[in-house]
Each structure stands twice: as C-alpha cells, then as structure tokens.
Amino acid sequence: MKQTQSYQSIKLSNNSLEKFDDTLVVEAPLQININKEPYTVVMRTPGSDEELVRGLLYAEDIYKKKDGVKVDIIKTEKDFSTVINMEILKEKLGKGYLNKRTLLSVSSCGICGKKELKDLKVKGKTLKSNSNEIIEDIVKATSYMFMEMSDKQIVFKSTGGSHACAIFNTNKKLLTIKEDIGRHNAVDKCVGDLINQNKLKEANYMLVSGRVSYEIVSKAFLAKIPIIIAVSACSSLAVDFAKEFGIFLIGFSRNNKMTIYSTPHG
C-alpha cells in the first residue's frame, strides 16, 4: 500500500521562490472494528495494518495470541482510509476490551483514547534481561543496530517525516523493522509482526527513531522487551516507568554518544 505521496510545494531559498514536487509521508485513518463493532480510529501510515492492529490489541490487553482471530479488510478508500474488522470469540477477549476507547487516537499519542487516569496503569512483574549485557557491550552494539535500522528506513529516506521501530534479539540480529508517522504505531506494527512470526519471545532490544514517552515504555514492558534505545529524548514518566519495570532505557543515542536513564539495577 502506498506510504508516500507527492505534493506541489514552493521552496524559499536565498530570497528566491521555486516550485517543486515534495514527497510526504501519508497519514490516514484506520478504523478498527472488533466483532463488527467500532473500537477506535488510529491515524497511521498505510501498510502493515494487520500487524498494527495485533500489536495494539496486545498492548491494550484485548487479545494476545496469534491464532483464533479472523482479520477482514472491509474497505479501503482512495484517501487511504481503511476499515478493518477483527473477529474474536467474545469469551477470548481480554479485560482491556471492557475499557473501550472513545476518542480518536492520533499519530503522535498512543493514549488519547483512554477514558480515565486509572486506565494508564500498567501491571506486571519487573522484567529481567534475556542477556547478561553490560553497558559497554550495549554501547558497542548500538551504532551497528541503528545503522542497520537506518538503512531500512525507506519511507524516511524519501519523506523525512516517518518514525521507525526496530527490534533485535540478544545476538543483535534484526527481527523486524516498521515505519509509521506515529512512534507508537511503529512499535505496535513491530510487536504485531513478531506475534505473527511467533518470535516475540526473542525480542531483546527495541530501537526507536524519536523520543520515548510513557506509552513506548509500557508497550515494551507488555511485550517483555527489556532494553529500549532511542535517538531522542525520554520523558520523566518514561524514566519513572522504566525504573519501576526493570527496563534498560537509553536516550540521545547518536554520534557515538548516549544518555543512560535507567538500568535493571537502578
């Protein structure tokens, strides 16, 4: 499915105006139905829609298995808006389904549809890293992993407007990479892809192209991914949650520099 689109624009440079065709990342609504009833609308970049929905349902504690669900793309319009239905036995739906989203989930925020503050709470046991990594080992591996992620950011190379998430195993082997206009959408797509591949248990490193806030840390925690490495900043709540959940959290990872905000030991 098309992820970029050309728009005629005017560039101002050195006091001169020039018309040109600029390539932009597509942002379009995806309506998610569960058992033919509307659940939420997500603003996303088209492509890997099924993976996005699976990852979102996993994070929302609605359905966490690979099998037992029928996926139907009901319709796709010329403006890239799409309606997708997930058919799941009612007795198999998780507790999260009772807390239905009531608002639009925009591309910049993964929690906009929550009803109450208590819905932001995430429960579970503190994570333990799948490896005996020390800080020096992570530092050495980070540049290589980001280089591999960057090489595969096709949409970003043509638009400069998309985010990416890449997940690697303990041996630093790339398991999946996805792009989207929304940071949390890219994460959901990666998690959904690993669910489909039956490889979610292999996930050890989550690399993200932008900043890390609450929803990114909570999605990593629920997917049991113990190490998050970001190009940009981390929010205060992201650091608080990372410390509480036992997640190794690194920000500002660029130019052979990084800031470590949380380790499994404190």
Side-chain angles (χ1 to χ4, degrees):
M1 187 175 288
K2 196 172 182 180
Q3 295 185 301
T4 63
Q5 196 165 12
S6 182
Y7 284 79
Q8 190 174 80
S9 307
I10 299 175
K11 180 182 288 186
L12 172 62
S13 178
N14 297 323
N15 295 320
S16 65
L17 298 177
E18 178 185 359
K19 288 185 178 180
F20 76 109
D21 290 330
D22 196 9
T23 302
L24 304 182
V25 59
V26 173
E27 180 180 25
L30 170 66
Q31 178 178 319
I32 302 170
N33 294 351
I34 298 178
N35 296 333
K36 299 176 181 171
E37 293 185 6
Y39 172 67
T40 191
V41 176
V42 176
M43 302 303 294
R44 95 302 186 203
T45 299
S48 301
D49 283 342
E50 180 183 341
E51 288 86 349
L52 169 59
V53 176
R54 282 187 177 275
L56 177 62
L57 298 190
Y58 188 99
E60 296 285 332
D61 191 24
I62 294 174
Y63 194 76
K64 296 194 172 187
K65 298 180 180 179
K66 175 189 175 183
D67 302 318
V69 58
K70 181 182 177 183
V71 183
D72 290 316
I73 298 176
I74 299 174
K75 63 178 179 179
T76 299
E77 303 292 350
K78 291 182 179 179
D79 63 356
F80 307 108
S81 61
T82 302
V83 179
I84 191 169
N85 181 65
M86 308 293 283
E87 203 72 32
I88 306 170
L89 291 175
K90 290 186 177 180
E91 59 268 23
K92 299 292 184 179
L93 291 170
K95 294 180 180 179
Y97 183 65
L98 299 176
N99 176 37
K100 286 189 177 182
R101 292 174 173 227
T102 55
L103 301 174
L104 178 73
S105 176
V106 298
S107 55
S108 61
C109 176
I111 61 174
C112 297
K114 300 296 187 180
K115 289 183 178 180
E116 303 177 51
L117 289 177
K118 65 181 179 64
D119 296 329
L120 302 183
K121 293 182 180 179
V122 181
K123 298 180 180 180
K125 295 182 179 180
T126 300
L127 295 186
K128 294 183 179 179
S129 178
N130 295 327
S131 63
N132 295 317
E133 299 276 15
I134 58 175
I135 293 176
E136 289 80 4
D137 293 332
I138 294 176
V139 171
K140 290 178 182 178
T142 296
S143 295
Y144 164 77
M145 290 190 290
F146 267 119
M147 188 178 300
E148 186 169 3
M149 174 173 136
S150 178
D151 287 343
K152 292 178 170 58
Q153 287 181 247
I154 307 303
V155 177
F156 180 79
K157 287 177 181 178
S158 60
T159 68
S162 65
H163 282 289
C165 173
I167 297 178
F168 295 77
N169 65 14
T170 55
N171 296 320
K172 292 86 176 176
K173 179 183 177 182
L174 180 64
L175 298 176
T176 182
I177 176 172
K178 297 293 180 182
E179 292 183 88
D180 198 278
I181 195 166
R183 293 170 296 119
H184 60 281
N185 288 344
V187 172
D188 283 336
K189 285 181 177 181
C190 281
V191 172
D193 187 26
L194 293 184
I195 291 172
N196 283 344
Q197 295 184 56
N198 287 321
K199 290 185 177 181
L200 188 56
K201 290 183 179 180
E202 298 180 30
N204 194 64
Y205 298 92
M206 176 184 286
L207 275 61
V208 292
S209 63
R211 68 186 185 276
V212 175
S213 49
Y214 153 84
E215 75 271 19
I216 300 296
V217 174
S218 65
K219 288 177 186 294
F221 172 69
L222 291 169
K224 294 182 170 54
I225 302 173
I227 302 172
I228 303 174
I229 308 174
V231 170
S232 194
C234 301
S235 74
S236 61
L237 194 58
V239 174
D240 290 341
F241 269 69
K243 288 178 178 292
E244 181 179 348
F245 294 156
I247 288 177
F248 209 127
L249 179 61
I250 298 173
F252 293 113
S253 180
R254 57 182 86 152
N255 301 322
N256 294 317
K257 297 179 181 179
M258 60 180 61
T259 302
I260 300 170
Y261 292 101
S262 171
T263 70
H265 310 295

